[in-house]
């Protein structure tokens, strides 16, 4: 059932051609994602926009789920709560680290900590829920 | 203190040149935002991506706040909770309608309902909080 | 399928004998709940404790769901987000008004506004999700 | 500025005489809380009620904050998101473990994992924010 890093990467590239999320690691109910930061990601004042952070978190959650239950294209986010904690660096990649909290038959819940690469303090914290189609 | 629709639009264009959010209405502790839907917004299966919906919600909240307290470039989102309710249409604009729930000295809370244009049922619901700098 | 106010009240009394929530109205995808305020509900400084507010919100959501889909004892809360907006009065009942946002096969989402009786401004806002057993 | 376990326990007993939360540990931006489970805490079917879990989480967050910034009676919860993950045991105490994610001047954010004593899998996960009065 488990999908490998390569399988998840291939799937994400096909399904989400616009996505800039790079799969760094996946497995053991967790995932690590990298997102580069450039003009499109920045807000005035040199900070990364909130929606980019939400994108990275959503992606990290999705990748962790794919790694756990296999390639399921119909998994959809049902809810997501983000707390913004610190101002992101404008010159460092965003790293998202997801840990799954519950793997149910129909709902999977996980949390994601987001970092500017190299920082130990998270810049945002996310909890999200995915709904999984029944016939998996 | 109140900012007009034109002032908010001008401010958003300068501060967020990448943003595709169009201010439809602002005032009386509320705002309505439109976001066009094209290739960049779509996911496979013809649905609008979650981060786009979060972008529209965040934007609607920000515009409602600007309309209420005036142009404050340092207001930042501190938290945001989104519940995805229905699949968005791939061929209709996203409309975000924000109502502010509390206008405090340091925190402003609002809710946003998101719609595919013309639909009466919301496709997502958002509650978010902005932190306002003290010297306003 | 619809449960009446009397049926819901009877069910709540049997299933939740400790609950102090009084069903004021139920139907049309909504519910109104009252909770009296006494020593058990108060914190120092004369304010109603947060968990009491969460109890009223959870109850309002549950009653609205029972009114919509009938008496289902196995519905369980899966997530709940509360924003505290204003200090509750220590001498007025708490009123909770729930509106369902989505009635899905397995998930029901609703929002609840909480008031000190007679006030027009909400003292807290809640969004919550219930999971519904499949064999309903 | 730091408050000890004894100081926090004394403060909680005076300020919240109804509270059943026992401080197990506090310090290093974290806290562990115990809540006994009896008739008042149970729902039909032998599960601990959601509001009890929210109470333990809120208490764990508050104790962690007191341990970090000292005894501040005016700190108030501004928001709280709970995800219910597993059915609690009806015969075990609830243990809440809080870790603070951000200690800002006006806002403190923390997460809490809740367990039935002895279980390694959390039964609920909470993220909450407290507002801190300025003149601390």
């Amino acid at each position: 059932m488990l999908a490998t890093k390569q399988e998840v990467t291939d799937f994400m590239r096909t399904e989400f051609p616009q996505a800039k999320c790079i799969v760094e690691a996946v497995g053991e109910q967790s995932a690590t994602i990298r997102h580069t930061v450039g003009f499109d990601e920045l807000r005035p004042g040199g900070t990364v926009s909130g929606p980019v952070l939400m994108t990275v978190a959503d992606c990290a959650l999705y990748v962790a789920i794919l790694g756990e239950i296999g390639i399921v294209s119909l998994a959809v986010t049902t809810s997501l709560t983000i707390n913004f904690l610190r101002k992101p660096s404008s010159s460092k990649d965003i790293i998202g680290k997801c840990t799954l909290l519950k793997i149910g038959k129909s709902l999977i819940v996980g949390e994601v900590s987001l970092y500017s690469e190299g920082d130990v303090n998270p810049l945002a914290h996310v909890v999200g829920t995915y709904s999984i189609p029944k016939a998996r």
Side-chain angles (χ1 to χ4, degrees), chain A:
Chain A
M1 257 315 225
L2 202 80
T4 64
K5 180 179 162 185
Q6 190 58 51
E7 287 168 342
V8 173
T9 299
D10 291 348
F11 174 75
M12 296 295 282
R13 207 168 283 161
T14 309
E15 292 275 296
F16 304 94
Q18 317 100 314
K20 295 179 175 178
C21 288
I22 300 157
V23 181
E24 296 268 306
V26 59
E28 296 180 34
Q29 308 189 359
S30 66
T32 303
I33 295 296
R34 172 189 300 273
H35 194 294
T36 54
V37 170
F39 173 75
D40 285 349
E41 285 76 29
L42 292 176
R43 271 182 54 166
T47 191
V48 179
S49 80
V52 169
L53 300 182
M54 294 185 249
T55 302
V56 180
D58 193 39
C59 183
L61 200 47
Y62 193 41
V63 166
I65 290 169
L66 295 178
E68 182 63 25
I69 67 170
I71 301 297
V72 176
S73 65
L74 292 175
V76 292
T77 317
T78 58
S79 68
L80 193 146
T81 293
I82 184 164
N83 278 273
F84 298 95
L85 304 172
R86 291 170 187 86
K87 192 180 167 181
S89 165
S90 62
S91 59
K92 290 177 184 168
D93 288 356
I94 300 293
I95 306 293
K97 297 189 178 192
C98 174
T99 304
L100 300 181
L101 297 170
K102 181 199 177 181
I103 299 152
K105 276 176 220 154
S106 59
L107 292 179
I108 297 184
V109 183
E111 67 173 326
V112 183
S113 294
L114 297 170
Y115 301 87
S116 287
E117 187 173 20
D119 285 3
V120 291
N121 291 315
L123 51 88
H125 179 272
V126 171
V127 187
T129 300
Y130 265 73
S131 175
I132 310 299
K134 279 158 204 171
R136 82 186 208 220

